[in-house]
Amino acid sequence: MNVAKETQTSTPPAKSDVSSPWREAWRTFKKNKIALVGASIVGFFIVLALFAPLIMPYDYTKPDLLNRLKGPSADHWFGTDDFGRDILSRVIYGARISLWVGFSSVAGSIIVGCTLGIIAGYYGKWVDILISRVFDILLAFPSILLAIAIVAILGPDLQNALIAIAIINVPNFGRLIRSKVLSVKEEEYITAAKSVGMSDFRLLFQHILPNSMTPIIVQGTLAVATAIIEIAALSFLGLGAQSPDVDWGKMLADSKQYLVNAPWTMIFPGLAIMLTVLGFNLMGDGLRDALDPKMKQ
């Protein structure tokens, strides 16, 4: 009787007490101070990119030959370049282009790579062999050389550089999601979904893909940092942003001859690249620790 009475009077745990995997991951991420520093750096540059026209103290394209190659001062905090343009304004606007290319190229890589990867992992056989060989061919080339080759064929342009960066990162996401699908598709709930006649499309995109996205989120964060370096390298070689557009790599290319006489023309865009990449790497490491069960004690 007492047992029955206790059973009847017991109440289910409150909804707020039930910890979802994502909520638990967020708690773990918040405890990682270094990851929060990385997220703060990324957030800072995202704000710069979004509100660049409002934040820039000067027009980033307007020359002022009377003030060319002036050092940092109260009027120009980061100094001026060889055309007298305000370097701070150009760094701020460069954040918009660099982050846009980084996020857009990685988004394209995730869409294409994940689509090919889940198809290869789910269907297997000759489909898996064909897609896997395509990935192997792309991975056989050094990534930056392959990007240069693609842009050389398509023509030097920011849009073509974005496409090239997206292409070279497709195999990384494709192979990652393929390996995850190979294990997820053997789970009992996938077998049960097949037994009730669920279509392959629904099975792939409503069950298998959502349960395979954890490593993609982590890899995607780290890939944005890599994409920013790659677009900077392409722009440095003259294959990325073209005038009047500017990104941090193009600023480095335009200022390399003034490294000795006006080092600030290269220091500040270089610092912007370093800090942004550092922020994404720190945040990506924090996400990996929070989302990977093997990293939890």
Side-chain angles (χ1 to χ4, degrees):
M1 291 293 293
N2 292 334
V3 175
K5 187 177 295 185
E6 289 178 1
T7 304
Q8 292 175 358
T9 57
S10 61
T11 58
K15 187 176 182 180
S16 58
D17 296 335
V18 180
S19 178
S20 68
W22 292 107
R23 187 175 300 172
E24 183 64 28
W26 171 239
R27 290 200 191 100
T28 305
F29 184 82
K30 287 194 300 182
K31 294 178 182 177
N32 191 331
K33 303 301 181 184
I34 296 178
L36 290 179
V37 170
S40 300
I41 295 173
V42 171
F44 172 75
F45 280 100
I46 290 176
V47 170
L48 285 185
L50 291 176
F51 299 100
L54 302 176
I55 299 174
M56 290 188 303
Y58 299 93
D59 184 349
Y60 75 96
T61 63
K62 186 177 181 179
D64 183 6
L65 297 180
L66 295 178
N67 290 308
R68 62 189 303 268
L69 296 177
K70 295 291 184 180
S73 64
D75 294 329
H76 301 280
W77 291 1
F78 287 3
T80 61
D81 64 5
D82 53 325
F83 286 98
R85 296 169 298 194
D86 183 64
I87 293 178
L88 174 59
S89 300
R90 292 172 68 79
V91 168
I92 292 174
Y93 191 83
R96 169 171 284 197
I97 292 182
S98 297
L99 289 178
W100 174 73
V101 172
F103 283 119
S104 299
S105 61
V106 170
S109 300
I110 290 176
I111 293 172
V112 177
C114 287
T115 301
L116 294 176
I118 60 176
I119 292 174
Y122 182 76
Y123 290 104
K125 299 181 180 179
W126 66 270
V127 177
D128 185 16
I129 295 174
L130 178 62
I131 295 176
S132 296
R133 294 298 78 76
V134 173
F135 290 161
D136 291 340
I137 292 172
L138 292 175
L139 289 171
F141 297 93
S143 59
I144 190 63
L145 293 182
L146 181 58
I148 292 173
I150 294 172
V151 177
I153 294 172
L154 299 178
D157 179 69
L158 188 62
Q159 190 72 27
N160 294 335
L162 188 155
I163 295 172
I165 295 172
I167 291 174
I168 64 177
N169 285 313
V170 164
N172 297 326
F173 292 101
R175 297 182 70 177
L176 185 62
I177 197 71
R178 173 187 172 274
S179 63
K180 189 68 177 177
V181 169
L182 288 175
S183 60
V184 171
K185 74 175 185 178
E186 302 299 331
E187 297 289 340
E188 293 182 359
Y189 67 91
I190 299 297
T191 305
K194 288 181 181 179
S195 65
V196 298
M198 181 175 290
S199 65
D200 289 345
F201 181 85
R202 288 186 59 191
L203 196 61
L204 287 172
F205 292 97
Q206 291 187 12
H207 294 282
I208 294 180
L209 182 60
N211 287 284
S212 305
M213 285 303 294
T214 296
I216 296 299
I217 294 173
V218 177
Q219 181 63 28
T221 305
L222 299 174
V224 173
T226 304
I228 291 173
I229 295 177
E230 289 167 346
I231 186 58
L234 291 175
S235 295
F236 186 84
L237 297 173
L239 300 175
Q242 306 295 316
S243 297
D245 289 330
V246 61
D247 73 344
W248 296 327
K250 189 176 189 306
M251 292 181 67
L252 293 176
D254 294 341
S255 305
K256 61 181 182 293
Q257 57 184 320
Y258 304 108
L259 177 59
V260 176
N261 297 327
W264 58 86
T265 58
M266 294 193 71
I267 289 175
F268 292 110
L271 282 175
I273 295 173
M274 183 200 73
L275 288 174
T276 307
V277 172
L278 176 64
F280 276 105
N281 284 336
L282 294 179
M283 189 172 70
D285 289 341
L287 288 174
R288 180 191 60 195
D289 295 344
L291 294 175
D292 189 354
K294 296 179 182 178
M295 301 297 294
K296 299 178 182 178
Q297 295 180 355

